[in-house]
Amino acid sequence: MVQLMGQAGLYIPANEESTIGIFSDIFADIGDEQSLEQSLSTFSAHMDNTISILNQIDERSLVLLDEVGAGTDPKEGAALAMAILDAIGTKGSFVVATTHYPELKVYGYNRAGTTNASMEFDGTTLQPTYRLLMGVPGRSNALEIASRLGLDDQIVAQAKALTSEDSQDLNDMIGDLVAQRKLAHDQTVKLDQDVANAQTLHDELAAKLEQYEQQKEKLMQQARQEANHTVATARQEADKIVQQLRIMQRQQGAQVKENQLIDAKGSLNALHVEDPRLNKNKVLQREKRKHDFAIGDAVLVKSYGQYGELIQKRGQSDWEVQLGILKMQVNEHDLEKVAKINSPKMKSRLQDDQLSGLHKHAKQQHDWIYVAIDMSKQCKKSINLWTMRF
């Protein structure tokens, strides 16, 4: 009926995107055509229709056979049914045949170009589920249905005992196949649902990640602007403090009072605000270790571009640095810890370059520096030059 409706252009009860074939002829042998008037038994009526169908079909025909080979001895009927199906297949026609014969179930499994199918039946409720099971032959439920309908258990047990072992094994096998297929189907449905949920979650996370990246970039840009503003403000304040020190230096000469230096240092330190989140920053921690000084460390005096060795600490943040033959007091912010230079050639070259480098830098900066020239290796006296200006 569905095939004829589809070929007539009518809507059919099927899922969207379903497809159907197109046939030139559709033949059916369904129901019981026995007739006392024509002296036709059930078997004879079926054979009469089957013969007529075989004489008309071709490769574009669809044949529907209900209980093919029924109405006679089961073994002969099964053998005849298989022969009829082979004949239809030889002509290239499509055929759908229903049967209760176990032999035909085996035939559908063994023959190329054929497949078993069945309508699922719930043995617990004795109700059909109207679900088509492809690849699984239907099992006989006659004894279970008879027992559920109230037939005496002894009669049912005797019937089971009289059933051939092969038939029982076949029914058990079919039952296992149905159970396994149902389990696989349920798992497939669950997996499909899980995949759909995972895809939905993935899409949501992807959207949130994109939103986060955009927000992150926006916040980073804002933080850069705020940091630049803070640095610019701190630099201006630092320049003011340095300018005030220079004014005092010019006004008072070298006699800048200790409390004035402490006040200036406090003002500079007030410009630095420590963010506790930076304590976990590995890059900043690595940089911080470069400024964790101890006596004997090799250091780079950044403002002069010269290498030296720490001799002793002076005050809270100043160190006395040995730069070749020179000794110099340097603030630790101008120092950076480096690997020790043990090469004699490098040491000699550094000693030759120390004084010229210091002189060049001081001349460019026009600033006051503290220098101690140690001449103890050349003579017994040491000359200390304080507050020299180049």
Side-chain angles (χ1 to χ4, degrees):
M1 180 64 71
V2 171
Q3 180 64 38
L4 292 174
M5 290 173 60
Q7 291 194 199
L10 302 176
Y11 289 109
I12 61 175
N15 292 331
E16 293 184 7
E17 308 300 330
S18 297
T19 60
I20 61 173
I22 302 297
F23 301 99
S24 58
D25 294 289
I26 299 177
F27 301 93
D29 177 33
I30 301 174
D32 192 349
E33 298 294 334
Q34 61 178 319
S35 172
L36 293 175
E37 181 180 355
Q38 300 179 19
S39 298
L40 291 175
S41 65
T42 299
F43 178 75
S44 299
H46 280 299
M47 282 299 99
D48 190 39
N49 288 336
T50 302
I51 293 170
S52 176
I53 292 171
L54 289 173
N55 291 331
Q56 300 179 65
I57 60 175
D58 56 24
E59 67 277 1
R60 297 186 60 191
S61 300
L62 172 63
V63 182
L64 307 176
L65 300 177
D66 182 30
E67 295 291 348
V68 58
T72 186
D73 177 77
K75 289 190 177 296
E76 291 185 357
L80 186 59
M82 287 187 284
I84 292 172
L85 294 176
D86 283 342
I88 296 175
T90 300
K91 293 191 175 184
S93 301
F94 291 85
V95 60
V96 178
T98 63
T99 184
H100 283 91
Y101 292 149
E103 294 85 351
L104 285 182
K105 298 174 184 178
V106 176
Y107 170 90
Y109 179 79
N110 291 329
R111 280 291 197 281
T114 64
T115 184
N116 282 303
S118 61
M119 297 301 296
E120 187 179 43
F121 186 83
D122 191 336
T124 303
T125 62
L126 300 181
Q127 296 292 327
T129 64
Y130 300 101
R131 188 161 26 173
L132 180 64
L133 304 179
M134 293 299 298
V136 179
R139 68 184 296 265
S140 175
N141 297 289
L143 299 180
E144 287 79 0
I145 294 174
S147 178
R148 290 296 182 89
L149 293 177
L151 186 62
D152 188 271
D153 292 342
Q154 185 176 357
I155 297 175
V156 175
Q158 185 177 359
K160 288 182 178 180
L162 295 174
T163 304
S164 67
E165 185 176 349
D166 291 341
S167 296
Q168 291 183 10
D169 291 343
L170 179 61
N171 281 331
D172 292 340
M173 180 191 71
I174 293 173
D176 291 340
L177 286 174
V178 171
Q180 292 175 13
R181 187 190 183 284
K182 186 176 186 303
L183 177 61
H185 176 268
D186 293 342
Q187 290 177 343
T188 300
V189 171
K190 184 177 182 303
L191 286 174
D192 290 342
Q193 185 63 40
D194 291 343
V195 170
N197 293 338
Q199 184 63 43
T200 301
L201 180 61
H202 174 272
D203 294 341
E204 292 177 356
L205 290 176
K208 290 181 178 179
L209 177 60
E210 183 178 359
Q211 181 181 2
Y212 164 77
E213 292 294 342
Q214 294 176 353
Q215 186 69 14
K216 173 185 172 184
E217 182 60 28
K218 181 179 179 181
L219 292 175
M220 288 292 291
Q221 183 64 26
Q222 183 179 352
R224 292 190 196 100
Q225 294 176 355
E226 293 178 356
N228 291 336
H229 176 71
T230 302
V231 170
T233 303
R235 184 175 296 156
Q236 292 174 359
E237 294 295 329
D239 290 341
K240 290 180 182 178
I241 295 171
V242 172
Q243 184 65 27
Q244 291 174 0
L245 286 175
R246 287 177 176 171
I247 292 174
M248 288 188 293
Q249 194 88 41
R250 288 194 295 268
Q251 291 176 350
Q252 303 178 25
Q255 304 300 320
V256 180
K257 297 181 180 180
E258 184 68 21
N259 65 314
Q260 292 175 326
L261 292 175
I262 294 175
D263 292 342
K265 179 181 177 182
S267 299
L268 287 171
N269 290 338
L271 298 177
H272 175 70
V273 180
E274 184 71 23
D275 189 340
R277 294 174 297 179
L278 299 180
N279 294 330
K280 299 180 180 179
N281 190 296
K282 294 182 179 179
V283 176
L284 295 181
Q285 290 297 322
R286 185 164 58 250
E287 290 297 320
K288 186 176 181 181
R289 284 194 294 270
K290 292 182 179 180
H291 301 277
D292 187 13
F293 303 114
I295 294 175
D297 286 346
V299 295
L300 167 67
V301 182
K302 294 183 287 187
S303 60
Y304 301 111
Q306 302 297 325
Y307 294 90
E309 182 178 336
L310 297 181
I311 305 302
Q312 62 177 332
K313 190 167 185 180
R314 292 181 175 274
Q316 294 293 325
S317 59
D318 290 340
W319 285 86
E320 184 176 339
V321 184
Q322 182 76 48
L323 298 173
I325 62 174
L326 305 179
K327 288 183 180 179
M328 179 177 180
Q329 184 170 316
V330 183
N331 189 279
E332 62 184 15
H333 292 296
D334 196 24
L335 299 175
E336 181 178 317
K337 187 188 294 187
V338 296
K340 286 193 174 183
I341 303 174
N342 297 319
S343 170
K345 183 177 180 180
M346 180 63 72
K347 286 183 177 180
S348 177
R349 191 180 71 180
L350 289 175
Q351 289 174 355
D352 293 339
D353 293 342
Q354 297 294 340
L355 199 53
S356 61
L358 290 172
H359 177 269
K360 180 179 179 181
H361 179 83
K363 188 175 182 180
Q364 291 174 345
Q365 298 297 325
H366 305 288
D367 209 349
W368 290 89
I369 63 173
Y370 158 72
V371 181
I373 304 178
D374 190 351
M375 304 290 290
S376 59
K377 294 183 181 179
Q378 285 75 19
C379 60
K380 295 183 179 180
K381 295 183 179 180
S382 62
I383 303 174
N384 293 320
L385 302 182
W386 297 82
T387 60
M388 291 183 63
R389 188 170 188 178
F390 294 92

mmCIF file of all heavy atoms in Angstrom, residues 83-125:
data_model
loop_
_atom_site.group_PDB
_atom_site.id
_atom_site.type_symbol
_atom_site.label_atom_id
_atom_site.label_comp_id
_atom_site.label_asym_id
_atom_site.label_seq_id
_atom_site.Cartn_x
_atom_site.Cartn_y
_atom_site.Cartn_z
ATOM 1 N N ALA A 83 12.441 -22.872 -3.635
ATOM 2 C CA ALA A 83 12.547 -22.973 -5.091
ATOM 3 C C ALA A 83 11.843 -21.802 -5.772
ATOM 4 O O ALA A 83 12.333 -21.248 -6.776
ATOM 5 C CB ALA A 83 11.965 -24.301 -5.555
ATOM 6 N N ILE A 84 10.670 -21.414 -5.258
ATOM 7 C CA ILE A 84 9.940 -20.277 -5.829
ATOM 8 C C ILE A 84 10.753 -18.984 -5.688
ATOM 9 O O ILE A 84 10.857 -18.178 -6.631
ATOM 10 C CB ILE A 84 8.568 -20.141 -5.156
ATOM 11 C CG1 ILE A 84 7.668 -21.332 -5.532
ATOM 12 C CG2 ILE A 84 7.903 -18.823 -5.537
ATOM 13 C CD1 ILE A 84 6.363 -21.385 -4.761
ATOM 14 N N LEU A 85 11.351 -18.772 -4.518
ATOM 15 C CA LEU A 85 12.162 -17.560 -4.300
ATOM 16 C C LEU A 85 13.373 -17.532 -5.223
ATOM 17 O O LEU A 85 13.751 -16.468 -5.736
ATOM 18 C CB LEU A 85 12.603 -17.482 -2.837
ATOM 19 C CG LEU A 85 11.476 -17.275 -1.811
ATOM 20 C CD1 LEU A 85 12.027 -17.313 -0.393
ATOM 21 C CD2 LEU A 85 10.748 -15.950 -2.066
ATOM 22 N N ASP A 86 13.977 -18.701 -5.463
ATOM 23 C CA ASP A 86 15.103 -18.753 -6.403
ATOM 24 C C ASP A 86 14.658 -18.383 -7.814
ATOM 25 O O ASP A 86 15.380 -17.693 -8.556
ATOM 26 C CB ASP A 86 15.719 -20.143 -6.391
ATOM 27 C CG ASP A 86 16.602 -20.384 -5.177
ATOM 28 O OD1 ASP A 86 17.010 -19.387 -4.534
ATOM 29 O OD2 ASP A 86 16.878 -21.561 -4.846
ATOM 30 N N ALA A 87 13.472 -18.851 -8.194
ATOM 31 C CA ALA A 87 12.963 -18.547 -9.538
ATOM 32 C C ALA A 87 12.703 -17.046 -9.696
ATOM 33 O O ALA A 87 12.996 -16.457 -10.751
ATOM 34 C CB ALA A 87 11.692 -19.348 -9.798
ATOM 35 N N ILE A 88 12.141 -16.429 -8.663
ATOM 36 C CA ILE A 88 11.895 -14.980 -8.727
ATOM 37 C C ILE A 88 13.229 -14.237 -8.809
ATOM 38 O O ILE A 88 13.385 -13.264 -9.573
ATOM 39 C CB ILE A 88 11.078 -14.526 -7.503
ATOM 40 C CG1 ILE A 88 9.683 -15.177 -7.535
ATOM 41 C CG2 ILE A 88 10.963 -13.008 -7.469
ATOM 42 C CD1 ILE A 88 8.847 -14.890 -6.295
ATOM 43 N N GLY A 89 14.223 -14.698 -8.020
ATOM 44 C CA GLY A 89 15.526 -14.045 -8.049
ATOM 45 C C GLY A 89 16.201 -14.171 -9.399
ATOM 46 O O GLY A 89 16.934 -13.271 -9.819
ATOM 47 N N THR A 90 15.973 -15.295 -10.081
ATOM 48 C CA THR A 90 16.578 -15.497 -11.403
ATOM 49 C C THR A 90 16.088 -14.453 -12.400
ATOM 50 O O THR A 90 16.853 -14.009 -13.276
ATOM 51 C CB THR A 90 16.253 -16.903 -11.918
ATOM 52 O OG1 THR A 90 16.770 -17.877 -10.992
ATOM 53 C CG2 THR A 90 16.866 -17.134 -13.283
ATOM 54 N N LYS A 91 14.866 -14.034 -12.266
ATOM 55 C CA LYS A 91 14.302 -13.026 -13.176
ATOM 56 C C LYS A 91 14.669 -11.599 -12.751
ATOM 57 O O LYS A 91 14.303 -10.644 -13.444
ATOM 58 C CB LYS A 91 12.797 -13.168 -13.253
ATOM 59 C CG LYS A 91 12.365 -14.473 -13.929
ATOM 60 C CD LYS A 91 10.878 -14.468 -14.242
ATOM 61 C CE LYS A 91 10.466 -15.720 -15.026
ATOM 62 N NZ LYS A 91 9.045 -15.674 -15.421
ATOM 63 N N GLY A 92 15.336 -11.461 -11.633
ATOM 64 C CA GLY A 92 15.797 -10.129 -11.200
ATOM 65 C C GLY A 92 14.752 -9.293 -10.500
ATOM 66 O O GLY A 92 14.965 -8.083 -10.313
ATOM 67 N N SER A 93 13.643 -9.886 -10.113
ATOM 68 C CA SER A 93 12.589 -9.126 -9.445
ATOM 69 C C SER A 93 12.917 -8.955 -7.956
ATOM 70 O O SER A 93 13.670 -9.727 -7.366
ATOM 71 C CB SER A 93 11.245 -9.846 -9.578
ATOM 72 O OG SER A 93 10.905 -10.025 -10.936
ATOM 73 N N PHE A 94 12.341 -7.929 -7.366
ATOM 74 C CA PHE A 94 12.428 -7.725 -5.919
ATOM 75 C C PHE A 94 11.284 -8.477 -5.257
ATOM 76 O O PHE A 94 10.143 -8.437 -5.737
ATOM 77 C CB PHE A 94 12.343 -6.239 -5.576
ATOM 78 C CG PHE A 94 13.544 -5.447 -6.020
ATOM 79 C CD1 PHE A 94 13.630 -4.959 -7.313
ATOM 80 C CD2 PHE A 94 14.586 -5.209 -5.145
ATOM 81 C CE1 PHE A 94 14.731 -4.236 -7.727
ATOM 82 C CE2 PHE A 94 15.693 -4.484 -5.551
ATOM 83 C CZ PHE A 94 15.775 -3.998 -6.854
ATOM 84 N N VAL A 95 11.560 -9.132 -4.127
ATOM 85 C CA VAL A 95 10.533 -9.927 -3.466
ATOM 86 C C VAL A 95 10.612 -9.743 -1.958
ATOM 87 O O VAL A 95 11.698 -9.641 -1.384
ATOM 88 C CB VAL A 95 10.666 -11.429 -3.830
ATOM 89 C CG1 VAL A 95 12.024 -11.970 -3.395
ATOM 90 C CG2 VAL A 95 9.540 -12.248 -3.191
ATOM 91 N N VAL A 96 9.449 -9.662 -1.333
ATOM 92 C CA VAL A 96 9.330 -9.659 0.127
ATOM 93 C C VAL A 96 8.409 -10.821 0.486
ATOM 94 O O VAL A 96 7.241 -10.850 0.059
ATOM 95 C CB VAL A 96 8.740 -8.342 0.654
ATOM 96 C CG1 VAL A 96 8.576 -8.405 2.175
ATOM 97 C CG2 VAL A 96 9.628 -7.159 0.269
ATOM 98 N N ALA A 97 8.937 -11.795 1.259
ATOM 99 C CA ALA A 97 8.167 -12.993 1.601
ATOM 100 C C ALA A 97 8.129 -13.160 3.114
ATOM 101 O O ALA A 97 9.146 -12.985 3.787
ATOM 102 C CB ALA A 97 8.780 -14.234 0.953
ATOM 103 N N THR A 98 6.946 -13.476 3.644
ATOM 104 C CA THR A 98 6.816 -13.770 5.066
ATOM 105 C C THR A 98 6.706 -15.281 5.253
ATOM 106 O O THR A 98 6.186 -15.994 4.390
ATOM 107 C CB THR A 98 5.575 -13.086 5.652
ATOM 108 O OG1 THR A 98 4.397 -13.607 5.012
ATOM 109 C CG2 THR A 98 5.646 -11.575 5.433
ATOM 110 N N THR A 99 7.192 -15.761 6.407
ATOM 111 C CA THR A 99 7.172 -17.204 6.654
ATOM 112 C C THR A 99 7.367 -17.497 8.131
ATOM 113 O O THR A 99 7.862 -16.647 8.890
ATOM 114 C CB THR A 99 8.274 -17.911 5.859
ATOM 115 O OG1 THR A 99 8.163 -19.325 6.056
ATOM 116 C CG2 THR A 99 9.647 -17.463 6.325
ATOM 117 N N HIS A 100 6.945 -18.708 8.534
ATOM 118 C CA HIS A 100 7.243 -19.226 9.871
ATOM 119 C C HIS A 100 8.189 -20.426 9.781
ATOM 120 O O HIS A 100 8.507 -21.024 10.806
ATOM 121 C CB HIS A 100 5.947 -19.649 10.590
ATOM 122 C CG HIS A 100 5.159 -18.487 11.114
ATOM 123 N ND1 HIS A 100 4.181 -17.865 10.371
ATOM 124 C CD2 HIS A 100 5.202 -17.831 12.301
ATOM 125 C CE1 HIS A 100 3.640 -16.885 11.065
ATOM 126 N NE2 HIS A 100 4.248 -16.843 12.263
ATOM 127 N N TYR A 101 8.613 -20.766 8.578
ATOM 128 C CA TYR A 101 9.457 -21.943 8.400
ATOM 129 C C TYR A 101 10.899 -21.632 8.840
ATOM 130 O O TYR A 101 11.522 -20.692 8.321
ATOM 131 C CB TYR A 101 9.480 -22.389 6.933
ATOM 132 C CG TYR A 101 8.165 -22.931 6.436
ATOM 133 C CD1 TYR A 101 7.787 -22.782 5.098
ATOM 134 C CD2 TYR A 101 7.309 -23.631 7.290
ATOM 135 C CE1 TYR A 101 6.592 -23.290 4.626
ATOM 136 C CE2 TYR A 101 6.104 -24.143 6.821
ATOM 137 C CZ TYR A 101 5.756 -23.965 5.493
ATOM 138 O OH TYR A 101 4.561 -24.478 5.042
ATOM 139 N N PRO A 102 11.444 -22.457 9.739
ATOM 140 C CA PRO A 102 12.850 -22.246 10.122
ATOM 141 C C PRO A 102 13.808 -22.399 8.941
ATOM 142 O O PRO A 102 14.842 -21.723 8.881
ATOM 143 C CB PRO A 102 13.087 -23.338 11.178
ATOM 144 C CG PRO A 102 11.730 -23.684 11.693
ATOM 145 C CD PRO A 102 10.800 -23.514 10.533
ATOM 146 N N GLU A 103 13.449 -23.285 8.008
ATOM 147 C CA GLU A 103 14.317 -23.499 6.860
ATOM 148 C C GLU A 103 14.479 -22.230 6.022
ATOM 149 O O GLU A 103 15.561 -21.956 5.482
ATOM 150 C CB GLU A 103 13.781 -24.622 5.977
ATOM 151 C CG GLU A 103 13.784 -26.001 6.632
ATOM 152 C CD GLU A 103 12.530 -26.251 7.474
ATOM 153 O OE1 GLU A 103 11.750 -25.288 7.682
ATOM 154 O OE2 GLU A 103 12.334 -27.393 7.915
ATOM 155 N N LEU A 104 13.397 -21.467 5.910
ATOM 156 C CA LEU A 104 13.477 -20.223 5.141
ATOM 157 C C LEU A 104 14.294 -19.155 5.877
ATOM 158 O O LEU A 104 14.916 -18.298 5.237
ATOM 159 C CB LEU A 104 12.083 -19.693 4.839
ATOM 160 C CG LEU A 104 11.305 -20.436 3.730
ATOM 161 C CD1 LEU A 104 9.962 -19.762 3.497
ATOM 162 C CD2 LEU A 104 12.107 -20.466 2.445
ATOM 163 N N LYS A 105 14.298 -19.213 7.215
ATOM 164 C CA LYS A 105 15.139 -18.282 7.977
ATOM 165 C C LYS A 105 16.617 -18.563 7.707
ATOM 166 O O LYS A 105 17.425 -17.643 7.546
ATOM 167 C CB LYS A 105 14.830 -18.392 9.464
ATOM 168 C CG LYS A 105 13.384 -18.029 9.813
ATOM 169 C CD LYS A 105 13.076 -18.288 11.274
ATOM 170 C CE LYS A 105 11.599 -18.019 11.588
ATOM 171 N NZ LYS A 105 11.255 -18.315 12.987
ATOM 172 N N VAL A 106 16.971 -19.842 7.635
ATOM 173 C CA VAL A 106 18.341 -20.216 7.303
ATOM 174 C C VAL A 106 18.653 -19.837 5.860
ATOM 175 O O VAL A 106 19.754 -19.384 5.535
ATOM 176 C CB VAL A 106 18.556 -21.716 7.546
ATOM 177 C CG1 VAL A 106 19.958 -22.137 7.114
ATOM 178 C CG2 VAL A 106 18.318 -22.064 9.008
ATOM 179 N N TYR A 107 17.671 -20.011 4.972
ATOM 180 C CA TYR A 107 17.823 -19.645 3.556
ATOM 181 C C TYR A 107 18.156 -18.158 3.420
ATOM 182 O O TYR A 107 19.046 -17.770 2.659
ATOM 183 C CB TYR A 107 16.517 -19.968 2.825
ATOM 184 C CG TYR A 107 16.422 -19.431 1.421
ATOM 185 C CD1 TYR A 107 16.855 -20.195 0.337
ATOM 186 C CD2 TYR A 107 15.870 -18.182 1.164
ATOM 187 C CE1 TYR A 107 16.758 -19.708 -0.962
ATOM 188 C CE2 TYR A 107 15.763 -17.690 -0.128
ATOM 189 C CZ TYR A 107 16.215 -18.447 -1.195
ATOM 190 O OH TYR A 107 16.117 -17.966 -2.474
ATOM 191 N N GLY A 108 17.443 -17.320 4.147
ATOM 192 C CA GLY A 108 17.693 -15.880 4.078
ATOM 193 C C GLY A 108 19.075 -15.511 4.583
ATOM 194 O O GLY A 108 19.647 -14.500 4.156
ATOM 195 N N TYR A 109 19.638 -16.334 5.457
ATOM 196 C CA TYR A 109 20.969 -16.054 5.984
ATOM 197 C C TYR A 109 22.065 -16.509 5.024
ATOM 198 O O TYR A 109 23.098 -15.857 4.889
ATOM 199 C CB TYR A 109 21.121 -16.748 7.340
ATOM 200 C CG TYR A 109 22.474 -16.541 7.986
ATOM 201 C CD1 TYR A 109 22.778 -15.350 8.644
ATOM 202 C CD2 TYR A 109 23.436 -17.540 7.933
ATOM 203 C CE1 TYR A 109 24.018 -15.160 9.222
ATOM 204 C CE2 TYR A 109 24.688 -17.357 8.512
ATOM 205 C CZ TYR A 109 24.970 -16.161 9.153
ATOM 206 O OH TYR A 109 26.201 -15.980 9.722
ATOM 207 N N ASN A 110 21.820 -17.659 4.355
ATOM 208 C CA ASN A 110 22.872 -18.261 3.538
ATOM 209 C C ASN A 110 22.887 -17.774 2.093
ATOM 210 O O ASN A 110 23.934 -17.792 1.446
ATOM 211 C CB ASN A 110 22.725 -19.791 3.537
ATOM 212 C CG ASN A 110 23.046 -20.399 4.904
ATOM 213 O OD1 ASN A 110 23.873 -19.869 5.639
ATOM 214 N ND2 ASN A 110 22.384 -21.504 5.235
ATOM 215 N N ARG A 111 21.725 -17.365 1.540
ATOM 216 C CA ARG A 111 21.652 -16.998 0.135
ATOM 217 C C ARG A 111 22.185 -15.583 -0.095
ATOM 218 O O ARG A 111 21.839 -14.640 0.619
ATOM 219 C CB ARG A 111 20.202 -17.057 -0.374
ATOM 220 C CG ARG A 111 19.687 -18.440 -0.722
ATOM 221 C CD ARG A 111 20.368 -19.028 -1.956
ATOM 222 N NE ARG A 111 19.618 -20.136 -2.510
ATOM 223 C CZ ARG A 111 19.627 -21.372 -2.034
ATOM 224 N NH1 ARG A 111 20.374 -21.664 -0.976
ATOM 225 N NH2 ARG A 111 18.908 -22.321 -2.618
ATOM 226 N N ALA A 112 23.034 -15.437 -1.123
ATOM 227 C CA ALA A 112 23.517 -14.101 -1.488
ATOM 228 C C ALA A 112 22.371 -13.280 -2.052
ATOM 229 O O ALA A 112 21.508 -13.799 -2.767
ATOM 230 C CB ALA A 112 24.638 -14.218 -2.514
ATOM 231 N N GLY A 113 22.371 -12.006 -1.758
ATOM 232 C CA GLY A 113 21.332 -11.120 -2.270
ATOM 233 C C GLY A 113 20.057 -11.159 -1.461
ATOM 234 O O GLY A 113 19.064 -10.541 -1.868
ATOM 235 N N THR A 114 20.026 -11.890 -0.351
ATOM 236 C CA THR A 114 18.835 -11.953 0.497
ATOM 237 C C THR A 114 19.224 -11.571 1.929
ATOM 238 O O THR A 114 20.392 -11.669 2.321
ATOM 239 C CB THR A 114 18.214 -13.359 0.513
ATOM 240 O OG1 THR A 114 19.145 -14.274 1.109
ATOM 241 C CG2 THR A 114 17.867 -13.808 -0.889
ATOM 242 N N THR A 115 18.266 -11.155 2.699
ATOM 243 C CA THR A 115 18.518 -10.808 4.103
ATOM 244 C C THR A 115 17.269 -11.077 4.919
ATOM 245 O O THR A 115 16.137 -11.005 4.408
ATOM 246 C CB THR A 115 18.920 -9.339 4.251
ATOM 247 O OG1 THR A 115 19.243 -9.071 5.619
ATOM 248 C CG2 THR A 115 17.799 -8.411 3.837
ATOM 249 N N ASN A 116 17.474 -11.429 6.164
ATOM 250 C CA ASN A 116 16.367 -11.643 7.085
ATOM 251 C C ASN A 116 15.919 -10.318 7.692
ATOM 252 O O ASN A 116 16.696 -9.373 7.811
ATOM 253 C CB ASN A 116 16.777 -12.588 8.219
ATOM 254 C CG ASN A 116 16.779 -14.046 7.799
ATOM 255 O OD1 ASN A 116 15.773 -14.572 7.338
ATOM 256 N ND2 ASN A 116 17.927 -14.705 7.940
ATOM 257 N N ALA A 117 14.674 -10.283 8.085
ATOM 258 C CA ALA A 117 14.120 -9.132 8.799
ATOM 259 C C ALA A 117 12.919 -9.620 9.601
ATOM 260 O O ALA A 117 12.320 -10.656 9.281
ATOM 261 C CB ALA A 117 13.715 -8.021 7.837
ATOM 262 N N SER A 118 12.582 -8.899 10.626
ATOM 263 C CA SER A 118 11.438 -9.296 11.455
ATOM 264 C C SER A 118 10.869 -8.069 12.148
ATOM 265 O O SER A 118 11.551 -7.051 12.289
ATOM 266 C CB SER A 118 11.875 -10.339 12.498
ATOM 267 O OG SER A 118 12.857 -9.819 13.363
ATOM 268 N N MET A 119 9.619 -8.210 12.590
ATOM 269 C CA MET A 119 9.000 -7.169 13.391
ATOM 270 C C MET A 119 9.186 -7.545 14.860
ATOM 271 O O MET A 119 8.904 -8.654 15.283
ATOM 272 C CB MET A 119 7.515 -7.042 13.063
ATOM 273 C CG MET A 119 7.235 -6.618 11.637
ATOM 274 S SD MET A 119 7.956 -5.020 11.190
ATOM 275 C CE MET A 119 7.069 -3.933 12.285
ATOM 276 N N GLU A 120 9.692 -6.589 15.626
ATOM 277 C CA GLU A 120 9.987 -6.858 17.034
ATOM 278 C C GLU A 120 8.703 -7.149 17.806
ATOM 279 O O GLU A 120 7.674 -6.503 17.601
ATOM 280 C CB GLU A 120 10.722 -5.655 17.643
ATOM 281 C CG GLU A 120 11.217 -5.900 19.053
ATOM 282 C CD GLU A 120 11.953 -4.700 19.614
ATOM 283 O OE1 GLU A 120 11.461 -3.564 19.423
ATOM 284 O OE2 GLU A 120 13.018 -4.879 20.226
ATOM 285 N N PHE A 121 8.796 -8.142 18.696
ATOM 286 C CA PHE A 121 7.654 -8.545 19.514
ATOM 287 C C PHE A 121 8.103 -8.585 20.964
ATOM 288 O O PHE A 121 9.120 -9.201 21.293
ATOM 289 C CB PHE A 121 7.137 -9.922 19.065
ATOM 290 C CG PHE A 121 5.880 -10.358 19.759
ATOM 291 C CD1 PHE A 121 4.650 -9.927 19.312
ATOM 292 C CD2 PHE A 121 5.937 -11.187 20.881
ATOM 293 C CE1 PHE A 121 3.478 -10.322 19.944
ATOM 294 C CE2 PHE A 121 4.773 -11.592 21.525
ATOM 295 C CZ PHE A 121 3.551 -11.153 21.045
ATOM 296 N N ASP A 122 7.359 -7.899 21.838
ATOM 297 C CA ASP A 122 7.689 -7.869 23.264
ATOM 298 C C ASP A 122 7.070 -9.080 23.936
ATOM 299 O O ASP A 122 5.850 -9.148 24.104
ATOM 300 C CB ASP A 122 7.169 -6.570 23.890
ATOM 301 C CG ASP A 122 7.708 -6.349 25.294
ATOM 302 O OD1 ASP A 122 8.090 -7.336 25.946
ATOM 303 O OD2 ASP A 122 7.755 -5.187 25.734
ATOM 304 N N GLY A 123 7.931 -10.041 24.313
ATOM 305 C CA GLY A 123 7.428 -11.258 24.945
ATOM 306 C C GLY A 123 6.874 -11.034 26.328
ATOM 307 O O GLY A 123 6.116 -11.876 26.843
ATOM 308 N N THR A 124 7.219 -9.947 26.983
ATOM 309 C CA THR A 124 6.705 -9.665 28.331
ATOM 310 C C THR A 124 5.271 -9.170 28.280
ATOM 311 O O THR A 124 4.406 -9.632 29.041
ATOM 312 C CB THR A 124 7.595 -8.612 29.019
ATOM 313 O OG1 THR A 124 8.945 -9.081 29.055
ATOM 314 C CG2 THR A 124 7.118 -8.348 30.438
ATOM 315 N N THR A 125 5.014 -8.228 27.373
ATOM 316 C CA THR A 125 3.666 -7.673 27.275
ATOM 317 C C THR A 125 2.818 -8.376 26.220
ATOM 318 O O THR A 125 1.622 -8.095 26.114
ATOM 319 C CB THR A 125 3.743 -6.179 26.929
ATOM 320 O OG1 THR A 125 4.379 -6.038 25.653
ATOM 321 C CG2 THR A 125 4.546 -5.425 27.974
#
